[in-house]
Each structure stands twice: as C-alpha cells, then as structure tokens.
Amino acid sequence: MNHPLRFALNRMVAPRLSLADFVALAVTLKADAIEIRNDLKGIEIEDGTAPQTVRDLCAAQGIRVLSINALYPFDVWNDQRRAQALKLAAYARECGAEAVVLCPSNDRADQRNAAERAAGLRTALSALAPILREYGILGFVEPLGFEECSLRRKRQAVDAIKAVGGLDVFRLVHDTFHHHLAGEQEFFADLTGLVHISGVEDDAVPLASIRDGHRVLVGEADILGNAAQIERLLGDGYAWHLSFEPFANSVHELTDIQQAVSASMAYLQR
C-alpha cells in the first residue's frame, strides 16, 4: 500500500470523550471523517444532543459525518422499526450525516428460518428505500459474522438489494472483523460504501467465541487479516474511508488514544 489511506473514526474509538474532544482527536490524527452512534449512553445521540450541534461542530473543523450507527434490527420490520428509521433519517439529514448503518438481527432467540429471514430482509429494504430517498441519505447494510446473525454474508445483502431495486440508496459495510468471522471469501468493492476496521490479537479464543469485546486497534499481532482485506478492497477499486471501530475496554481505557490510533494508522499505511 504505497498511497495514502483514508481514515475515519467511529465513535467507538473513544466513547468517553466529549463530542468536541472526539472531533478534535480526528483533526489531530488527520482523519477527515467520523461516525456517530445512537447506542452509547451519556453521549450524542442518546443524551439528546441536537443534530445542529453535531453539524456545526463538525463543519467548523472540516469533518464529515459518514454515518449514524445504527438502525437495529433493521431486518425485523414493523411499525416500531419504521418510526425508528424515520427518526434516524431525520437526525442524519439535520446533522449532516451521509448515511445510516443498518444492522441485522443478532439474537439467538430469533426463530425465523432461512426463508423467513430472507423475506424479512427484502421487506425491510423495500420499506427503507423510499425513506432514504426522501431524506437524501444512504443505507449502509452491515452483515454481522456471528453464527446467530440473520444476515452473515454480504452476498445475501447484495442479492436482496438488487432484488428490490435498491442500488441507488444502499451500500455495504465491509467490516473486517465480521468478514473474518463469517468465513466470507467474496469482496464487493464496487458496492461498498464504508469499511470498518478492528483487530483481534487473542489467538487462543475459538473463532465462534470471539465477540466485540475482543476488538482492538489493528497492529502487528492482528489475526483477522486486516491488511490483506484492505489491500484486496483497494485493489478492487474501493476508494473511501477505513473507519476504526474497536469495542474493547482496553482501548477505551487508554490514556493516550491519539498515540495508539496513530500507531495503527502507521502500521496499516506500511
């Protein structure tokens, strides 16, 4: 990789920072974009921060808001999900976010069979498409590689998006963690709108037992093959952001998150 990579910061990088400090972190790291979340207590969006506040703060620093993460479980469509989708779409438009991340059901209690899950996915995509068009945003579909997830592989998402005529408003999230967990071999660089990157270094944990809490910044000891995945995506034409999304408390507790992310950026750039 001998050309600059485009990095972004998911709010999960430093959920304990204020939004202003988080934006400042992105600026310092020369990452020109962030993702905000609606699933972290005590910070935006959950704390009631007005969308205009997000817009003004980011615009003042020249920072793009790539997405709000996430509408969940987007593929279990009902009146409640529609109301949530409309609320998120409105917030996204008003705060300047370019997309809403769409996460599928990840519930061991989900009793739907494969056909029912596929039908639910198409129903949800069909219902979401006009909402996304109305609000002028994209929907980033993120398959999750966990065995219990209703949508594990990007191929399923691509087929459903094409089936409902949604190529104008839907893109994929390629998450390096979930790509590895799902054992997925296919890459869809041309349909990918965002890449989430995180590493796992504990090689003693069985693949089926790896969870979000194992996700750290990407470094030399990474067992997920982040560098190879990114190189493949870039080689296939992907030209957008690589967004850091570490869930591990060990990352959140770092006293110098700036140095840690900078080191990960340098490793990937090499």
Side-chain angles (χ1 to χ4, degrees):
M1 300 179 195
N2 56 6
H3 48 83
L5 303 178
R6 300 179 67 182
F7 291 111
L9 303 183
N10 186 286
R11 197 64 167 96
M12 197 57 76
V13 167
R16 300 174 188 179
L17 292 182
S18 68
L19 179 61
D21 287 344
F22 183 68
V23 171
L25 175 67
V27 171
T28 301
L29 289 166
K30 295 182 171 56
D32 67 349
I34 64 170
E35 296 179 85
I36 60 175
R37 303 182 71 98
N38 65 337
D39 60 352
L40 293 173
K41 292 188 180 300
I43 63 171
E44 76 297 329
I45 303 173
E46 192 273 341
D47 67 352
T49 298
Q52 192 63 44
T53 299
V54 177
R55 176 187 286 270
D56 292 347
L57 189 56
C58 292
Q61 298 292 333
I63 295 294
R64 293 168 59 183
V65 182
L66 296 181
S67 80
I68 298 174
N69 193 331
L71 179 65
Y72 173 86
F74 88 91
D75 59 335
V76 181
W77 194 257
N78 51 34
D79 289 342
Q80 179 188 16
R81 204 72 61 245
R82 177 177 175 80
Q84 291 170 335
L86 288 167
K87 184 177 180 180
L88 271 181
Y91 196 101
R93 181 172 65 184
E94 292 170 27
C95 82
E98 299 168 18
V100 170
V101 173
L102 308 172
C103 286
S105 175
N106 189 63
D107 185 356
R108 294 187 188 278
D110 185 353
Q111 298 299 311
R112 296 176 300 164
N113 61 34
E116 290 168 334
R117 290 179 175 189
L121 174 60
R122 291 192 299 271
T123 295
L125 293 174
S126 295
L128 278 164
I131 295 174
L132 297 170
R133 293 177 185 124
E134 177 183 352
Y135 285 87
I137 58 175
L138 294 172
F140 286 167
V141 179
E142 181 171 15
L144 306 179
F146 300 124
E147 290 182 352
E148 65 270 24
C149 184
S150 59
L151 177 61
R152 297 190 68 201
R153 294 182 174 84
K154 293 182 287 294
R155 165 59 66 186
Q156 299 166 268
V158 168
D159 290 346
I161 289 168
K162 290 180 176 179
V164 303
L167 288 174
D168 60 320
V169 288
F170 293 112
R171 300 289 185 275
L172 299 174
V173 175
H174 178 109
D175 186 297
T176 56
F177 172 82
H178 289 296
H179 180 87
H180 182 82
L181 256 60
E184 190 161 24
Q185 301 300 314
E186 290 186 281
F187 290 74
F188 299 90
D190 58 328
L191 297 178
T192 299
L194 181 63
V195 174
H196 281 161
I197 57 175
S198 59
V200 172
E201 298 182 346
D202 189 345
D203 59 4
V205 180
L207 187 66
S209 299
I210 295 177
R211 286 296 181 265
D212 282 334
H214 294 97
R215 299 170 68 172
V216 296
L217 295 168
V218 183
E220 296 281 355
D222 174 46
I223 63 173
L224 302 181
N226 270 270
Q229 289 188 47
I230 293 168
E231 196 158 36
R232 169 67 183 274
L233 285 162
L234 296 176
D236 288 353
Y238 180 76
W240 313 116
H241 288 86
L242 309 173
S243 184
F244 287 97
E245 193 187 31
F247 282 75
N249 284 331
S250 60
V251 176
H252 303 162
E253 293 168 355
L254 289 171
T255 56
D256 193 347
I257 187 63
Q258 177 185 326
Q259 188 280 330
V261 177
S262 180
S264 187
M265 288 177 167
Y267 164 72
L268 287 170
Q269 191 65 62
R270 287 197 303 272

